[in-house]
Amino acid sequence: MVKNHFGFNNADNFVSYLTRFKLDQPVGFQLKGETEPIIKNRKSSTFSNTTIPWMSIGYETRLTPLQMLTFYNAIANRGVWVQPFVVKEVRDANRTIEKFEANRDDEPICSERTIQLAHAMMKGVVENGTAQNINTGFCKVAGKTGTSRKLKDGVYSSNYYTAFIGFFPADNPKYSCAVIIDE
């Protein structure tokens, strides 16, 4: 699909598309130490003709689980990107010292039709796909599984990361989660 839409030699359009999702910048989380995401472009020293198709399935990029969760939250929020935060306010007894609010973009990251398709796909992953084992109970979940080989000394090893990122209730999301398993 990525080859048909962007071609292998048109990296600029593909990278521009990813920047609409804010995947090229840190989310600005309240804790120190968030790393800069890496989204390759044609100027990257390791860019090749296979970079775009590999990037389309998650390789040759570097995103933290929180950065990915923020992207999935935008899907849950009908396209509205909202900065994650854990501290609403700092208090001294009954006195509020400082309040915090999440930054948000009012411009959706994609069309309503794309959001609807993403929701349906993510529900399908849980109902009929690779996350069927969590399709239990009264609360419907939507999400996406992922598996990636670990990079060690510049070479992909036979060891893996496995992930599930999703939100629930699927039809009216209130919560989200990321589960990452290292080997």
Side-chain angles (χ1 to χ4, degrees):
M1 284 174 51
V2 75
K3 179 184 178 195
N4 290 340
H5 191 73
F6 295 101
F8 286 164
N9 296 321
N10 202 350
D12 294 337
N13 287 350
F14 182 68
V15 171
S16 286
Y17 191 70
L18 295 179
T19 62
R20 287 183 56 197
F21 303 143
K22 294 182 150 287
L23 293 173
D24 64 325
Q25 54 192 286
V27 297
F29 195 58
Q30 291 171 316
L31 300 175
K32 293 188 187 305
E34 181 182 8
T35 60
E36 291 279 332
I38 294 177
I39 303 289
K40 287 186 180 182
N41 60 45
R42 287 186 304 130
K43 295 176 185 167
S44 302
S45 64
T46 57
F47 187 87
S48 71
N49 286 338
T50 61
T51 297
I52 296 302
W54 279 108
M55 283 175 65
S56 73
I57 59 171
Y59 284 94
E60 297 203 37
T61 60
R62 183 181 71 196
L63 301 169
T64 68
L66 184 61
Q67 290 158 347
M68 285 302 301
L69 181 62
T70 304
F71 168 72
Y72 281 91
N73 282 345
I75 294 170
N77 291 328
R78 294 285 182 229
V80 177
W81 184 93
V82 179
Q83 178 187 34
F85 69 104
V86 292
V87 177
K88 271 188 174 177
E89 62 184 23
V90 176
R91 299 179 66 111
D92 182 7
N94 290 333
R95 187 174 60 95
T96 301
I97 297 171
E98 188 174 5
K99 283 189 170 198
F100 300 94
E101 290 189 28
N103 292 323
R104 60 186 297 134
D105 277 354
D106 293 325
E107 184 72 27
I109 64 168
C110 58
S111 71
E112 178 62 29
R113 173 81 175 127
T114 300
I115 291 296
Q116 291 170 355
L117 291 170
H119 271 253
M121 180 274 305
M122 293 172 69
K123 285 197 251 184
V125 167
V126 175
E127 292 171 355
N128 306 306
T130 52
Q132 288 181 64
N133 59 332
I134 65 169
N135 190 21
T136 61
F138 64 92
C139 184
K140 295 283 185 190
V141 177
K144 181 68 181 88
T145 61
T147 303
S148 63
R149 291 172 51 186
K150 295 171 92 173
L151 192 64
K152 183 174 181 177
D153 300 323
V155 177
Y156 287 109
S157 72
S158 59
N159 297 326
Y160 289 86
Y161 293 109
T162 301
F164 175 83
I165 301 178
F167 50 82
F168 55 97
D171 294 324
N172 187 21
K174 296 199 182 321
Y175 306 99
S176 61
C177 69
V179 178
I180 314 299
I181 300 171
D182 184 348
E183 295 181 44

